[in-house]
Amino acid sequence: MRARAPGTGWAARRSIRAGVGGTGATHAADEEDPVDDFRTIGERVRNWGRWGDDDQRGTTNLVTPERLVAAAALVRTGKVFDLGIPFDQHGPQPGGGIRSNPLHLMSATGAGQNVPGGFHYSDDYVVMPLQCATQWDGLAHVFYDDLLYNGFPASDVTPRGALHDSIEHQGKGIAGRGVLLDVAALHDVPWLAAGTVIRPDDLEAAMARQGGVDVGPGDILVFRTGWRRMFVEHRDAAEFMRDEPGLGVSCIEWLRERDVAAVCSDNFAVEVLPCENPAVFMPLHMVLIRDMGMTLGEIFDLEELAADCEADGVWEFFFCAPVLKFTHAVGSPINPLAMK
Amino acid sequence: MRARAPGTGWAARRSIRAGVGGTGATHAADEEDPVDDFRTIGERVRNWGRWGDDDQRGTTNLVTPERLVAAAALVRTGKVFDLGIPFDQHGPQPGGGIRSNPLHLMSATGAGQNVPGGFHYSDDYVVMPLQCATQWDGLAHVFYDDLLYNGFPASDVTPRGALHDSIEHQGKGIAGRGVLLDVAALHDVPWLAAGTVIRPDDLEAAMARQGGVDVGPGDILVFRTGWRRMFVEHRDAAEFMRDEPGLGVSCIEWLRERDVAAVCSDNFAVEVLPCENPAVFMPLHMVLIRDMGMTLGEIFDLEELAADCEADGVWEFFFCAPVLKFTHAVGSPINPLAMK
Amino acid sequence: MRARAPGTGWAARRSIRAGVGGTGATHAADEEDPVDDFRTIGERVRNWGRWGDDDQRGTTNLVTPERLVAAAALVRTGKVFDLGIPFDQHGPQPGGGIRSNPLHLMSATGAGQNVPGGFHYSDDYVVMPLQCATQWDGLAHVFYDDLLYNGFPASDVTPRGALHDSIEHQGKGIAGRGVLLDVAALHDVPWLAAGTVIRPDDLEAAMARQGGVDVGPGDILVFRTGWRRMFVEHRDAAEFMRDEPGLGVSCIEWLRERDVAAVCSDNFAVEVLPCENPAVFMPLHMVLIRDMGMTLGEIFDLEELAADCEADGVWEFFFCAPVLKFTHAVGSPINPLAMK
Amino acid sequence: MRARAPGTGWAARRSIRAGVGGTGATHAADEEDPVDDFRTIGERVRNWGRWGDDDQRGTTNLVTPERLVAAAALVRTGKVFDLGIPFDQHGPQPGGGIRSNPLHLMSATGAGQNVPGGFHYSDDYVVMPLQCATQWDGLAHVFYDDLLYNGFPASDVTPRGALHDSIEHQGKGIAGRGVLLDVAALHDVPWLAAGTVIRPDDLEAAMARQGGVDVGPGDILVFRTGWRRMFVEHRDAAEFMRDEPGLGVSCIEWLRERDVAAVCSDNFAVEVLPCENPAVFMPLHMVLIRDMGMTLGEIFDLEELAADCEADGVWEFFFCAPVLKFTHAVGSPINPLAMK
C-alpha cells in the first residue's frame, strides 16, 4: 500500500541525508544557488520514518511531554492573547476562486418559537473553507511527486478526504512553547513589503534584538511580518492574497536544524510570494509539509501579542491551538491562544 | 437600547437578590418544591451587572489571571487528552430537523492541477451547525422573557446573528482549571439511564469518592454521565438526542455558590431530559445561560480522560478549549484539551 | 390567525379600491406626484381575496388553462432560448453581504472508487442564496406594515421559512405567453444608464416599435434594459448590483390594468435604483409583491432572445420557468425557457 | 486532448456497430445471456460522434425543432402537473453518506430591518446535493473505462467539476413530447416490489393497455413504478434508497432502437436494484449515460399525472424540465412540468 521501499526507516534516511551533503555542503549549495532544487533540499530534511512508518503527525511529535510541561510553566501572569482573526464575510478571501470567507447563517433566532415555560433559543450554521481564515495546514494539504508526508500515496486524497495524514491525527495538539519573532519590528516597518524574502539571518537578528530569545526543539515559531496589519488598514482582500512577505527557501534547513515543531505567521502562506524561483511554486509548502511533516499556521493576528512582548520583553509563551477533528480533512480553523 | 432600568448595576442587584431570599430561603424553597419556579431561581443567581453593564462574557470572567496561572501549573506530566468527538457524518445528529452532522467536502484533491514545479494541494469545506458536535453554547443561545444575559434585548438576535452576548466575546478563552466528576463511575454503571437527575448530593459524593477533589471559583466543571459511551456502543443518534441523564434544577444554585466558570458534559444538553417539570423546558439552559451568564460545554468525549484519572487519582487538569471567533454567532465547535 | 377583517373579500376590496379613486383619479394623482404614496397605490391595486382568502399564488392565477393552451401554440419553429445566466462563482454578487454567488463542490469525481463492473460516478453539491442569480421572487420575499400578500401576518416568516406565500405554491408554474419589450433597443443604446426610470410611455413606445405587440391578461412581461449586457462586458459585480435602470412607480398601475401575470427583467430588481423617492426603498417590490401578489423574475439574460426577436419581428413566445419546490422558501433559482 | 482515434465519426461507428451484430444478433445474444456484457451492449448502442465530435448533449439532440413544435401542440386543455418532489429535510436521502436532503436556511426574515419607507424582505439559502431529489443526471455523472460520453477522458472530472459533458450543455432543454407508461398500473399494484425487473415486454404491454400510445424518436419516456408512492406511504428513506424496481438491461437496446431522448422515473435510479448481474453495478447508467449519451430523470412524483392519464386516457403531454445551468456540474435539480 505504501510507496516506500523496505528498509528505509529513520536511521537509513539519516545516512542518506548525511551522504547528500550535511550542513557544510548545504551552505555551499546555498551560495551557488540560493533557492537550490527543492527536491534536493527535501531529501536532506526529510523526516519520513523518524517517528515510525505509520506516523501521521510529523514534527508535532517534537512537543514531548517534558517540553509541554515546561511550556505550561510560561504562564506567569495570566495574560491571554487570541491570535485568530474574526471569522466572517469581511475576511481576507477576495472571492471568485475556490476559497470564500466564512458564511454564517442563523437556523433559529427565537422567532416563531412557542415552547412550554418560555424557553427560546437560537442556533446557527457555518459554511466555510477550512483554509479561509486562521488555520492549521494538515499534512495532506500539499504534496508532490505522487507522495504525501511519510510516503503515503497521493491517491489517498480523494473527494472523500485524505485517508492518511489528515488533520484529526493532530487531535491532541497543538500546544507547546511559542516564540514570537517580530521581523517587521526588526526592520522598523509597520509591515514588510510583498515579496520580501525572510532569511535565517533575519530570524537570528530578530532573536538578538529580542533579548536573545531562543528557538529550539519542539517550539512553535511564530513570526510577524505585519501583513495582517496591512489588511486591517487597507481592507483589500485581493491585495492580501496576491503576494506577501515570507520565509525564503533558505529557512527550510534552519527550521530543520532547530527541530521546530510548527511555524506560524500573520501572512497567508508562511512563505514569500512571488516565489524566489518562478519555476517552482511554493517550495516551502512542498518541503516543510510533505518532506519534514511540519504543520503550518497561517493568517494569525499578532498585533496585540507583539505589542505586549515589545512592552515586557518576554517573547515566549504557552501556545495552545487545538485542531477541530474533521475526519479526513486537510486543515482546521483555529483560534490560537498565547498565554503569558 | 438596553432593556435594563438605570441604576441596576451589580450592587443593586445583589440587594434585590438578597431580598428575594438568600441562601436560607433558597434551601427552604428547594425542600418544598425541588424544581422551584425557574424565574425565582433565576433572580437569585442572576449575575447581570456583576462584571459591568456591558459585560458579554459572564462567568468566564471568574477565570482570573491568577487562577489561570495556577491552572497551568497542573500540567505536571505532559499527558494530553482531547475531549472533542470526530466531526463527520457519523455524529449524533439524527437528521430531519434543524441540526445535521458536519458535511465535509473537498474543493481540491490535487487532481487536474498543473502547477510549475510539481506543487499539488488539497482544500476542503465544511457545512455544519455550530451546535452539532462538541461545542460551547454562547450566551445568546438561550433566553426567556425577551431578555438575554446581562439585560440585552432578545430582539438583538436576528438572522444576521446576535448583536450582543455572541460567542466571539469569549475569544480569549476558555481555559482554566478543569475538574472531572465521574457520576457514572460513582454509581458504578457504564452510563446513567436517560432521565436520571443528577443532584448536588451526587456531585459531592463524586468529589468525595475522587479523593476529595474540590470544585471552586473559576473552575471548569466537567461531569461524566457515560452518555457518549452509550452512543459509541449503540450508534443510535435518535436515542442519543432524545432524552439523557443530566443536571437537575437543584444544581443551579450549587454551581452559583461555588462560582464555577463553566460546566461541561458528555451528554448533549448538560441538563436532564425529560425535564423535571414537564411545564418548563430546559430550565438549566434558561437560568445558567441567561441569568448566570454561564457558557455550557456539550457532547464531550470523556472516556480516555476518565480512565486516566481513575488510574492516577488526579482529577484536575489544565483545560483549554478556545472558541472560534465567528462574528455574531451563538456557539462554537471546539476540541477541548485536558492536560495533566 | 389572519390579520384581515371579516367581510373584506375580493368584491368588498374592489369597491374600496374604486372609492379611493379609480383610473381617472389615479392618472390625476400621477400627474401631481409621479411617485405618489406607495401605500395609496398599494390599496388601489391590491389583489387580496381576489382568488380566495387562502390564495398564495397571486397574479399567476391569471394564466388560465385557456391562456396556457394559447401560449403553447406560440411554439411555431422550435427555437429555444434559455434566459438563465450561468450559476457559478463569476456571477453578479459582489460578496461582503448576505448574498454570495453559487458555490459548487464535487462530492465525488470517480477518484478512489472501486465498484464491481467498473462503474464510476461523480456527484456534486451547491451552496447558494435562492436570490443570487436568475430567480423568481416568492410572495413572502417582500412586505410592509406587518402583512404579507393576501393578508397573512409577517410573523409567518421566521428562520424556519415562510408559513404562507412561500415559493412552492407556484409549483405548477410559471408558464404562459411571454412578451419581450426591448427598452434599450427603443432608446437605441446597448444598455440604459443606472437610474433610468422606465415609465408606461416607454413600454407603450416599445410595443409600437415592435409591430404593435400586445401585453394583456395573464402574460409574462419580460423587459430588456441591457443591464446584463453591461455586466457581461464590464464584469464588475459591484457596479451591476449598485444601481440600475428599471420600472418606475408609474408602471405599477399600468401592470395592474393589463393584469400581467408576472414581470421579469435582465436587471437585478425589476425596478429602478436609486429609488425615485429617496424616502421609500423599493416601492415596486412592496406593492407588486405584497399588494398585487405578483412574482418578479430577475437577472435574466435576454441578449440572444432579443436579437432573434429583432430579426424575425416576433416578440411573443411560450415561456416556461418552473420553480424548484423548496418548502417554505421565498424564492427559486430558475432557467427560464422561451420557445418560438 | 480527446481519447478518440481519428476517422471514427458517426458513420464509421455505425458500421462497427453493425459488424458487432445488428438487431438480429442482439436478440440472439439476449436469449443466451439476458444481461449480456454491458461493454458489448455499450458498443452496439454507442452514439459517440453521431451529433459531432464536440457534442456534449447526447440524445436530447433528438428533440428536433419540428418535434418540439409537435410536442407543444399537446397542450390541449391547459392542465399542468408538477413532477418534482418537495425539496426539504423530509426527502428520501437517509443520511450518513454523501447525499443529504436539501438544507434550507433563512438569511433574512424581516427581523431587525429598518429601511426607509417600511420595506422588509426575506432571503434564503440552500445547501444541497444536485442529486438528492428530482433531478437530471448529467452526461459526466457516470462513466467507465476512463472515458465519458463522446470519448472525453474521465480525467476531465476533477474537484473543479466536469470540463466536458457537464449539465449546462443541456441549458436549452429539456422539453419535448412526454409519454407516461404506468408499469405499476399494468401489474395492478400500488407499487412494484424492489428488485422487480422491467423488460421491453412490460413497456410494450403498458403501451397496449394505454390505448396504444407510442414511444418514438425524440420522446421523453416517463415510466411509473409506484416507488415514490411507497415512500410517501412509508416515509422510510433507507427503504427507498436501498433497492428498487426498475429497467433491466434488456431495455437498453429497446430505448436505442426507438431513439428515445430521455428516460425518467419515480424511482431513484431508473434501473433495477439489486442489479441483475451482481458483478456489474448499474449497467444501465453506464451504457445509457456514457455510451448512448442519454440523460436520466430520477425521483419524479407521478401520482397526480398518472391518475389524470388513467381518467382521460391521454398518456402524452408537453414535458418541460429546464436544467439550472450550474457550470461544470454533473446534474441539476428540477421541477418537471407536464402540460396537457
Side-chain angles (χ1 to χ4, degrees):
Chain A
M1 215 57 42
R2 300 283 287 283
R4 224 152 62 196
T8 54
W10 171 238
R13 268 140 225 258
R14 275 198 79 84
S15 60
I16 290 169
R17 178 172 164 273
V20 168
T23 304
T26 301
H27 283 177
D30 280 0
E31 279 153 26
E32 286 167 31
D33 173 9
V35 295
D36 208 346
D37 178 72
F38 78 91
R39 284 182 179 82
T40 304
I41 300 171
E43 280 180 32
R44 284 200 296 261
V45 300
R46 195 164 296 159
N47 279 323
W48 299 9
R50 180 173 175 186
W51 297 285
D53 281 4
D54 294 328
D55 179 61
Q56 302 181 54
R57 292 182 57 211
T59 52
T60 57
N61 281 291
L62 293 165
V63 188
T64 59
E66 299 70 29
R67 288 172 181 152
L68 186 68
V69 172
L74 299 174
V75 187
R76 293 169 183 139
T77 63
K79 286 187 284 190
V80 181
F81 304 89
D82 49 332
L83 311 184
I85 66 168
F87 281 28
D88 57 35
Q89 283 287 296
H90 305 291
Q93 302 302 329
I98 278 185
R99 293 179 187 166
S100 54
N101 290 307
L103 173 68
H104 177 243
L105 293 165
M106 299 295 290
S107 50
T109 60
Q113 296 171 355
N114 187 15
V115 179
F119 175 89
H120 286 271
Y121 78 103
S122 59
D123 257 30
D124 38 12
Y125 268 76
V126 70
V127 180
M128 68 185 290
L130 300 179
Q131 290 78 22
C132 69
T134 311
Q135 82 194 265
W136 285 123
D137 283 350
L139 297 185
H141 176 51
V142 169
F143 46 94
Y144 66 90
D145 292 352
D146 296 328
L147 295 178
L148 309 179
Y149 165 69
N150 217 6
F152 295 103
S155 58
D156 275 0
V157 184
T158 76
R160 306 301 297 265
L163 291 182
H164 286 104
D165 291 343
S166 47
I167 197 70
E168 72 267 31
H169 295 289
Q170 307 286 357
K172 288 184 185 299
I174 296 171
R177 177 178 181 257
V179 177
L180 176 66
L181 296 185
D182 191 337
V183 187
L186 170 73
H187 294 294
D188 204 21
V189 291
W191 57 83
L192 301 171
T196 302
V197 181
I198 297 172
R199 296 192 171 79
D201 284 353
D202 298 288
L203 299 177
E204 288 174 10
M207 291 160 67
R209 189 190 78 90
Q210 297 175 193
V213 63
D214 196 28
V215 175
D219 287 346
I220 290 107
L221 171 62
V222 182
F223 68 95
R224 180 177 172 275
T225 66
W227 203 239
R228 168 72 187 168
R229 176 168 167 189
M230 186 282 294
F231 176 73
V232 169
E233 294 195 11
H234 292 188
R235 289 285 159 196
D236 181 338
E239 179 188 18
F240 182 80
M241 292 295 290
R242 193 181 307 118
D243 292 324
E244 65 176 19
L247 300 188
V249 167
S250 56
C251 291
I252 295 174
E253 294 188 82
W254 189 90
L255 293 167
R256 179 67 183 75
E257 292 303 323
R258 289 174 181 261
D259 256 347
V260 166
V263 61
C264 311
S265 185
D266 58 352
N267 64 10
F268 70 88
V270 169
E271 69 187 287
V272 67
L273 284 168
C275 299
E276 294 161 282
N277 178 349
V280 179
F281 187 68
M282 292 221 173
L284 273 91
H285 268 74
M286 289 198 282
V287 174
L288 292 180
I289 292 178
R290 185 261 208 187
D291 292 309
M292 279 177 56
M294 178 177 285
T295 300
L296 309 183
E298 297 164 343
I299 315 183
F300 282 40
D301 187 331
L302 303 172
E303 299 310 291
E304 186 188 9
L305 175 64
D308 184 85
C309 294
E310 198 70 59
D312 73 2
V314 179
W315 298 86
E316 62 180 354
F317 41 84
F318 183 58
F319 175 96
C320 187
V323 303
L324 294 185
K325 296 190 290 181
F326 292 108
T327 305
H328 299 320
V330 298
S332 174
I334 48 173
N335 176 26
L337 299 184
M339 306 183 210
K340 292 171 73 171
Chain B
M1 218 52 44
R2 299 280 290 280
R4 225 153 62 194
T8 53
W10 171 239
R13 267 138 225 258
R14 276 200 77 85
S15 61
I16 289 169
R17 180 172 164 274
V20 169
T23 306
T26 303
H27 284 176
D30 279 0
E31 278 152 28
E32 283 167 32
D33 174 7
V35 296
D36 208 346
D37 177 72
F38 79 92
R39 284 182 178 82
T40 305
I41 300 172
E43 281 180 30
R44 284 201 296 263
V45 302
R46 195 165 296 159
N47 279 324
W48 299 9
R50 180 173 175 186
W51 297 286
D53 281 4
D54 294 329
D55 179 61
Q56 302 181 54
R57 291 182 58 212
T59 52
T60 57
N61 281 292
L62 294 165
V63 188
T64 58
E66 299 71 28
R67 287 173 181 152
L68 186 68
V69 171
L74 298 174
V75 186
R76 294 171 182 136
T77 62
K79 284 187 285 191
V80 181
F81 305 88
D82 50 333
L83 311 183
I85 66 168
F87 281 27
D88 58 34
Q89 283 287 296
H90 305 291
Q93 302 302 328
I98 277 185
R99 294 179 187 165
S100 55
N101 289 308
L103 173 67
H104 176 243
L105 293 165
M106 300 294 290
S107 49
T109 60
Q113 296 170 355
N114 187 15
V115 180
F119 175 88
H120 286 270
Y121 78 103
S122 58
D123 256 30
D124 37 13
Y125 267 76
V126 71
V127 179
M128 68 183 292
L130 300 180
Q131 291 77 23
C132 70
T134 311
Q135 81 194 267
W136 285 122
D137 283 350
L139 297 185
H141 176 50
V142 168
F143 47 96
Y144 66 89
D145 293 352
D146 296 328
L147 295 178
L148 308 178
Y149 165 70
N150 217 7
F152 295 102
S155 59
D156 275 359
V157 185
T158 76
R160 305 301 296 265
L163 290 182
H164 285 105
D165 290 345
S166 47
I167 198 68
E168 71 269 31
H169 295 287
Q170 307 286 357
K172 288 184 184 299
I174 297 171
R177 177 180 180 255
V179 178
L180 176 66
L181 297 184
D182 192 336
V183 187
L186 170 72
H187 294 294
D188 204 20
V189 292
W191 58 81
L192 301 171
T196 302
V197 180
I198 297 172
R199 296 190 171 81
D201 284 354
D202 298 289
L203 299 176
E204 289 175 9
M207 290 159 69
R209 190 190 78 88
Q210 296 175 193
V213 63
D214 195 28
V215 176
D219 286 346
I220 290 108
L221 171 61
V222 183
F223 67 95
R224 180 177 172 274
T225 67
W227 203 238
R228 167 73 188 169
R229 176 167 167 189
M230 186 283 294
F231 176 73
V232 170
E233 293 195 11
H234 291 187
R235 288 284 159 196
D236 181 338
E239 180 188 18
F240 181 80
M241 292 294 292
R242 194 182 304 118
D243 293 323
E244 66 177 18
L247 299 188
V249 166
S250 55
C251 292
I252 295 174
E253 295 189 81
W254 189 90
L255 292 167
R256 178 65 184 76
E257 293 303 323
R258 289 175 180 260
D259 256 348
V260 167
V263 61
C264 311
S265 186
D266 58 351
N267 64 11
F268 70 89
V270 168
E271 69 186 289
V272 66
L273 284 168
C275 299
E276 293 161 281
N277 179 350
V280 179
F281 187 69
M282 291 219 174
L284 273 91
H285 268 74
M286 288 197 284
V287 174
L288 293 180
I289 292 178
R290 186 262 205 186
D291 292 310
M292 280 176 55
M294 178 178 283
T295 300
L296 309 184
E298 296 164 343
I299 316 184
F300 281 41
D301 187 330
L302 303 172
E303 299 311 291
E304 186 187 9
L305 174 64
D308 184 84
C309 294
E310 199 70 60
D312 71 3
V314 178
W315 297 86
E316 62 181 355
F317 41 85
F318 183 59
F319 175 96
C320 188
V323 304
L324 294 185
K325 296 191 290 180
F326 292 109
T327 305
H328 300 318
V330 299
S332 173
I334 47 174
N335 177 26
L337 298 184
M339 308 183 208
K340 292 171 73 171
Chain C
M1 216 53 44
R2 302 280 290 280
R4 225 150 61 193
T8 55
W10 171 238
R13 268 137 224 259
R14 275 198 80 84
S15 61
I16 291 168
R17 180 171 164 273
V20 168
T23 305
T26 303
H27 284 176
D30 279 4
E31 279 153 26
E32 286 166 32
D33 175 6
V35 295
D36 208 346
D37 178 72
F38 79 90
R39 284 181 178 82
T40 304
I41 300 172
E43 280 179 32
R44 284 201 295 263
V45 302
R46 195 165 296 157
N47 280 322
W48 299 8
R50 180 173 176 186
W51 298 285
D53 279 5
D54 294 331
D55 179 61
Q56 302 181 53
R57 294 181 57 210
T59 51
T60 56
N61 281 291
L62 293 165
V63 188
T64 58
E66 297 72 29
R67 286 171 181 154
L68 186 68
V69 172
L74 299 173
V75 186
R76 294 171 182 137
T77 62
K79 286 187 285 191
V80 181
F81 304 90
D82 50 331
L83 312 183
I85 66 167
F87 282 27
D88 58 35
Q89 284 287 296
H90 305 291
Q93 302 301 329
I98 278 185
R99 293 180 187 165
S100 54
N101 290 307
L103 173 68
H104 176 244
L105 294 166
M106 299 296 290
S107 50
T109 59
Q113 296 170 356
N114 188 13
V115 180
F119 175 89
H120 286 269
Y121 78 103
S122 58
D123 256 28
D124 37 13
Y125 268 75
V126 70
V127 180
M128 68 184 289
L130 300 181
Q131 292 76 21
C132 69
T134 312
Q135 82 195 263
W136 285 122
D137 283 352
L139 297 185
H141 176 51
V142 168
F143 46 95
Y144 66 90
D145 292 352
D146 295 330
L147 294 179
L148 309 179
Y149 164 69
N150 217 6
F152 294 103
S155 59
D156 275 0
V157 184
T158 77
R160 305 301 295 266
L163 290 182
H164 286 105
D165 291 344
S166 49
I167 198 68
E168 71 269 30
H169 295 288
Q170 307 286 358
K172 289 183 184 301
I174 297 173
R177 176 177 180 257
V179 178
L180 175 66
L181 296 185
D182 192 335
V183 187
L186 171 72
H187 293 295
D188 205 22
V189 292
W191 56 83
L192 301 170
T196 303
V197 181
I198 298 172
R199 296 191 172 83
D201 283 353
D202 298 289
L203 299 177
E204 289 175 11
M207 289 159 69
R209 189 190 78 89
Q210 296 175 196
V213 64
D214 195 30
V215 175
D219 286 347
I220 291 107
L221 171 62
V222 183
F223 68 95
R224 180 176 172 275
T225 67
W227 204 239
R228 168 73 188 167
R229 177 167 165 189
M230 185 283 294
F231 176 72
V232 169
E233 293 195 12
H234 292 187
R235 288 287 157 194
D236 180 337
E239 179 188 19
F240 181 80
M241 293 293 293
R242 194 182 304 116
D243 293 324
E244 65 178 17
L247 299 187
V249 167
S250 55
C251 292
I252 295 175
E253 295 190 80
W254 189 89
L255 293 167
R256 179 66 182 75
E257 292 303 322
R258 289 175 181 260
D259 256 348
V260 166
V263 61
C264 311
S265 186
D266 58 352
N267 64 10
F268 70 87
V270 168
E271 69 186 290
V272 66
L273 284 167
C275 300
E276 293 161 281
N277 179 349
V280 179
F281 187 68
M282 291 221 174
L284 274 90
H285 269 74
M286 289 198 282
V287 174
L288 293 180
I289 292 178
R290 186 263 205 183
D291 292 309
M292 280 177 56
M294 180 179 282
T295 300
L296 308 183
E298 297 164 345
I299 316 183
F300 282 40
D301 188 330
L302 303 173
E303 298 311 289
E304 186 188 9
L305 175 63
D308 184 84
C309 294
E310 199 70 61
D312 71 2
V314 178
W315 297 86
E316 62 180 356
F317 41 84
F318 183 59
F319 175 96
C320 188
V323 303
L324 293 184
K325 296 191 291 181
F326 292 109
T327 305
H328 300 319
V330 299
S332 173
I334 48 174
N335 177 25
L337 299 185
M339 307 183 209
K340 292 171 72 170
Chain D
M1 217 52 45
R2 300 282 288 283
R4 225 151 63 193
T8 53
W10 171 238
R13 267 138 225 260
R14 276 199 78 85
S15 61
I16 290 168
R17 180 172 163 272
V20 169
T23 305
T26 302
H27 284 178
D30 279 2
E31 277 153 28
E32 286 167 32
D33 174 6
V35 295
D36 209 345
D37 178 72
F38 78 91
R39 284 182 178 83
T40 304
I41 300 172
E43 281 180 30
R44 283 201 296 262
V45 301
R46 195 165 295 159
N47 280 323
W48 299 9
R50 181 173 175 186
W51 297 285
D53 280 4
D54 293 329
D55 179 62
Q56 302 183 52
R57 293 182 57 212
T59 52
T60 57
N61 282 291
L62 294 165
V63 188
T64 59
E66 297 72 29
R67 286 172 182 153
L68 186 67
V69 172
L74 299 174
V75 187
R76 293 170 184 138
T77 62
K79 286 187 285 190
V80 181
F81 304 89
D82 50 330
L83 311 184
I85 66 167
F87 280 28
D88 58 35
Q89 283 288 297
H90 305 292
Q93 301 302 330
I98 279 185
R99 294 181 187 165
S100 55
N101 290 307
L103 173 68
H104 177 243
L105 293 165
M106 299 296 289
S107 50
T109 61
Q113 296 170 356
N114 187 15
V115 180
F119 175 89
H120 286 270
Y121 78 102
S122 58
D123 257 28
D124 37 13
Y125 267 76
V126 70
V127 180
M128 67 184 290
L130 300 180
Q131 292 75 23
C132 70
T134 312
Q135 82 194 263
W136 285 123
D137 283 351
L139 297 185
H141 176 50
V142 168
F143 46 94
Y144 66 89
D145 292 352
D146 296 329
L147 294 179
L148 309 179
Y149 165 69
N150 217 8
F152 295 103
S155 58
D156 275 358
V157 185
T158 77
R160 305 301 295 266
L163 290 182
H164 286 106
D165 291 344
S166 48
I167 199 68
E168 72 269 31
H169 296 288
Q170 307 287 356
K172 289 185 183 300
I174 298 173
R177 177 180 180 255
V179 178
L180 175 66
L181 297 184
D182 192 336
V183 186
L186 170 73
H187 294 295
D188 205 22
V189 293
W191 57 80
L192 301 170
T196 302
V197 180
I198 297 172
R199 296 191 172 82
D201 284 353
D202 297 289
L203 299 177
E204 289 175 10
M207 290 159 68
R209 189 190 79 88
Q210 296 175 195
V213 64
D214 195 30
V215 175
D219 287 345
I220 290 107
L221 171 61
V222 184
F223 69 95
R224 182 177 171 274
T225 66
W227 204 237
R228 169 71 187 170
R229 177 167 166 189
M230 186 282 295
F231 176 71
V232 170
E233 293 194 13
H234 292 188
R235 288 284 157 196
D236 181 338
E239 180 188 18
F240 181 81
M241 292 294 293
R242 194 181 304 117
D243 292 325
E244 65 176 17
L247 300 186
V249 167
S250 55
C251 292
I252 295 174
E253 294 190 82
W254 189 90
L255 293 167
R256 179 67 183 75
E257 293 302 324
R258 288 175 181 260
D259 256 347
V260 166
V263 61
C264 311
S265 186
D266 58 350
N267 63 12
F268 70 87
V270 169
E271 69 186 289
V272 67
L273 286 167
C275 299
E276 294 162 281
N277 179 350
V280 180
F281 187 68
M282 293 221 175
L284 273 90
H285 268 74
M286 290 198 282
V287 174
L288 293 181
I289 292 177
R290 186 262 205 186
D291 291 310
M292 280 177 57
M294 179 178 283
T295 300
L296 308 183
E298 296 164 344
I299 317 185
F300 282 40
D301 187 330
L302 303 172
E303 298 310 289
E304 186 188 9
L305 175 63
D308 184 84
C309 294
E310 198 69 61
D312 72 2
V314 178
W315 298 86
E316 61 181 354
F317 41 83
F318 183 59
F319 175 97
C320 187
V323 303
L324 294 183
K325 296 191 290 181
F326 293 109
T327 305
H328 299 320
V330 298
S332 174
I334 47 173
N335 177 26
L337 299 184
M339 306 182 208
K340 292 171 72 171

